[in-house]
Amino acid sequence: MGYKKALQQYIEATNTHDFNNVKKVLHENAIFWFTDQTCTTIQEIQNYFENAWNTIKEEVYTANNVHWLTVDQNSATCTYTYHYEGYHNGKFVSGSGRATNVFIKNEKGEWKLIHEHLSSL
């Protein structure tokens, strides 16, 4: 069940708008695929997150309809529908899309997010 907690911690960390919190749940070799960009380093992922938080103020990110596709002792993969809402240039905005997350257990036995693929609807 640690992989489910890892997803929950990732969502909670994202909603703090502090990348130091997000970084704690990421694997050091994480790769993120966004609709408009691929991030292959922690620094690129941080830049993308911080830009998003600066663009959509007070953003709240949620994961719905989580489906765990594969789970074994060292890895777990899920899909879900994400939803976000916040303020862009003072106006309330919201949107959603699809996500795939891959978690692996590191050498310390901790579940870490190694891959995320987001696409907007």
Side-chain angles (χ1 to χ4, degrees):
M1 290 296 205
Y3 56 91
K4 290 182 179 180
K5 180 73 171 166
L7 175 61
Q8 178 185 344
Q9 290 172 332
Y10 172 62
I11 300 298
E12 290 171 358
T14 298
N15 285 323
T16 68
H17 303 171
D18 181 344
F19 192 78
N20 290 320
N21 295 326
V22 175
K23 187 176 179 180
K24 291 175 187 174
V25 298
L26 298 182
H27 188 277
E28 61 187 13
N29 296 322
I31 296 175
F32 278 48
W33 289 354
F34 297 107
T35 301
D36 61 342
Q37 186 175 339
T38 297
C39 299
T40 60
T41 67
I42 296 295
Q43 186 60 56
E44 289 175 350
I45 296 168
Q46 179 174 352
N47 292 345
Y48 198 95
F49 270 71
E50 290 176 346
N51 181 62
W53 293 328
N54 286 329
T55 301
I56 308 294
K57 302 291 185 187
E58 300 177 42
E59 180 192 28
V60 176
Y61 182 86
T62 57
N64 303 300
N65 303 316
V66 177
H67 179 72
W68 292 95
L69 300 172
T70 63
V71 176
D72 64 33
Q73 290 182 338
N74 297 309
S75 66
T77 302
C78 68
T79 60
Y80 58 88
T81 302
Y82 71 83
H83 181 79
Y84 70 89
E85 58 185 41
Y87 295 90
H88 182 259
N89 293 328
K91 296 172 89 175
F92 181 78
V93 295
S94 65
S96 60
R98 295 178 291 199
T100 302
N101 285 16
V102 179
F103 294 87
I104 62 170
K105 217 183 259 189
N106 69 11
E107 61 282 346
K108 296 178 184 175
E110 303 165 325
W111 287 95
K112 300 291 184 176
L113 179 60
I114 193 163
H115 178 65
E116 177 167 84
H117 183 180
L118 297 182
S119 59
S120 57
L121 293 176

